Amino acid sequence: MLVGMTYDLRSEYLAQGFSEEEVAEFDSPRTVEGIEDALRKAGHQVERIGSLPSLVSRLAQGERWDLVFNIAEGLGRYGREAQVPALLEYYGVPYTFADPLTLCLTLHKGMAKRVVRDLGLATPDFAVVAEPREAAAVRLPYPLFVKPVAEGTGRGIGAVSKVKGPEDLAQACIELIERYRQPVLVETYLPGREFTVGIVGTGSKARVIGVMEVTLRAGADQDAYTMRNKEECDDLVRYRRVKGSVAGQAGELALAAWRGLECRDAGRVDLRCDAHGQPNFLEVNPLAGLHPEHSDLPILCSLVDYPYQKLIERIVASAWERARNETRPASGLAASVG
């Protein structure tokens, strides 16, 4: 199979003047190399495409692939992760991971939680504060936890994320809205254990491959899995496989959220336990990082003896099975556009 790869390299955006924080979700050369090596070992021919502008150009020149392995995060607001999938859909090119609808929905953590709540699944009570003055109207018991509504990799999460009173909340909302130019998600703070659940597959064929607990070492930012903790995870974070009844509860909740949000192929669901030890849904990552050594999903896979090679092959198999059954635009339409 001819597999194209779409991604956003950090180095390319840094060269354009973006900051380290702005490109924190983007990919390292090691991630691209790791996926490419796994695809070649699986017997596929691989072509690197790169970011959205390169994809636009190559599609316009008439290039096509049997499948695109997409990990591009995109630029902009709630639609950024959906940019590459939407373009590929127009041209009738199959791709890995979720469709534009799910990627837009899950990037907005407040909207995703509304759907999860409607599914009857446990998630902390919350409010979305779009303007600083709205913080005064929040009627949730303290402490609360605040973060930008549509960021990943711990961006916007830090020492001030856990707020203990109205003044702290108001100040945190002012700072986050000013810095990230987007609403703030305000949630009931849960004091229990934090888990991430790895899932492979789509719909009824999706299954949990493992549950991982995230704990913080001395010197780490406390109370949250912040961007600094993620970036310096070798020194600041301890990852541990979880088994037993709590793992079963976490896996059941994560799988229900995964299916309800129509995520596909592979990804992560992040959970945290309440004061009674019951797991609650925090957020889902349907476009999870795939750095072979430093991203959470591959780390989880290493803890449960699920090789990186197998993960990449499972992602491709899931996407290809779906592609064979999907209706695509007529080839003549796509060709005329190209």
Side-chain angles (χ1 to χ4, degrees):
M1 186 188 308
L2 176 58
V3 180
M5 289 183 60
T6 48
Y7 49 84
D8 289 304
L9 276 180
R10 290 187 184 186
S11 58
E12 293 181 356
Y13 287 88
L14 289 172
Q16 296 175 40
F18 288 83
S19 69
E20 289 280 357
E21 184 180 7
E22 287 172 323
V23 303
E25 289 187 279
F26 292 174
D27 303 300
S28 70
R30 174 71 181 118
T31 301
V32 177
E33 292 166 3
I35 297 170
E36 182 178 36
D37 288 347
L39 291 171
R40 293 192 188 283
K41 287 178 182 175
H44 302 301
Q45 182 182 350
V46 183
E47 289 186 358
R48 294 190 183 192
I49 300 169
S51 60
L52 182 64
S54 176
L55 177 63
V56 170
S57 175
R58 294 178 69 163
L59 285 170
Q61 293 172 29
E63 292 190 58
R64 299 292 186 271
W65 305 269
D66 297 315
L67 180 78
V68 168
F69 198 105
N70 170 49
I71 57 171
E73 297 284 345
L75 290 175
R77 289 172 60 83
Y78 308 131
R80 61 180 185 265
E81 291 182 346
Q83 291 162 351
V84 164
L87 184 62
L88 290 171
E89 281 199 4
Y90 185 84
Y91 280 86
V93 179
Y95 55 89
T96 57
F97 303 118
D99 68 9
L101 172 62
T102 293
L103 290 171
C104 291
L105 173 65
T106 56
L107 187 59
H108 191 300
K109 296 176 176 62
M111 298 297 285
K113 281 169 63 72
R114 288 187 177 111
V115 173
V116 167
R117 188 173 58 187
D118 187 65
L119 291 167
L121 304 176
T123 189
D125 289 337
F126 68 100
V128 176
V129 174
E131 300 179 18
R133 61 182 174 80
E134 295 176 3
V138 172
R139 295 289 183 267
L140 295 171
Y142 289 89
L144 299 172
F145 196 84
V146 299
K147 57 188 174 184
V149 80
E151 295 296 337
T153 321
R155 287 189 69 196
I157 297 176
V160 300
S161 295
K162 182 180 176 182
V163 297
K164 300 179 180 178
E167 291 184 4
D168 291 343
L169 175 61
Q171 186 60 38
C173 288
I174 290 171
E175 293 177 2
L176 289 175
I177 291 171
E178 171 66 22
R179 182 167 184 174
Y180 294 98
R181 303 292 181 182
Q182 62 184 265
V184 174
L185 179 68
V186 182
E187 290 181 296
T188 297
Y189 176 78
L190 301 184
R193 301 163 69 185
E194 182 164 343
F195 303 132
T196 189
V197 181
I199 295 178
V200 295
T202 304
S204 62
K205 295 184 178 179
R207 69 179 184 87
V208 173
I209 57 173
V211 179
M212 179 174 77
E213 182 173 10
V214 179
T215 59
L216 305 176
R217 300 177 186 270
D221 296 332
Q222 295 303 303
D223 296 323
Y225 196 23
T226 64
M227 187 170 74
R228 172 176 170 259
N229 290 343
K230 289 176 184 283
E231 291 288 331
E232 302 176 30
C233 62
D234 289 342
D235 298 322
L236 301 178
V237 181
R238 183 183 294 108
Y239 301 102
R240 184 177 71 90
R241 181 180 185 179
V242 180
K243 298 181 179 179
S245 60
V246 70
Q249 294 172 359
E252 184 176 344
L253 172 61
L255 195 57
W258 180 265
R259 288 171 173 159
L261 292 165
E262 300 190 7
C263 303
R264 311 190 304 199
D265 301 338
R268 291 177 11 242
V269 180
D270 296 337
L271 312 174
R272 196 172 177 106
C273 292
D274 60 22
H276 305 290
Q278 295 299 310
N280 279 239
F281 172 91
L282 293 182
E283 58 187 68
V284 63
N285 192 335
L287 199 61
L290 289 174
H291 188 293
E293 291 85 26
H294 291 291
S295 293
D296 286 355
L297 182 59
I299 290 173
L300 186 155
C301 287
S302 69
L303 293 177
V304 300
D305 297 323
Y306 198 98
Y308 186 79
Q309 178 69 34
K310 183 179 180 180
L311 173 65
I312 300 302
E313 291 183 14
R314 185 69 186 87
I315 292 168
V316 170
S318 176
W320 186 242
E321 180 180 6
R322 178 176 62 253
R324 287 182 300 175
N325 298 318
E326 284 183 342
T327 300
R328 302 178 208 165
S331 58
L333 172 62
S336 67
V337 174

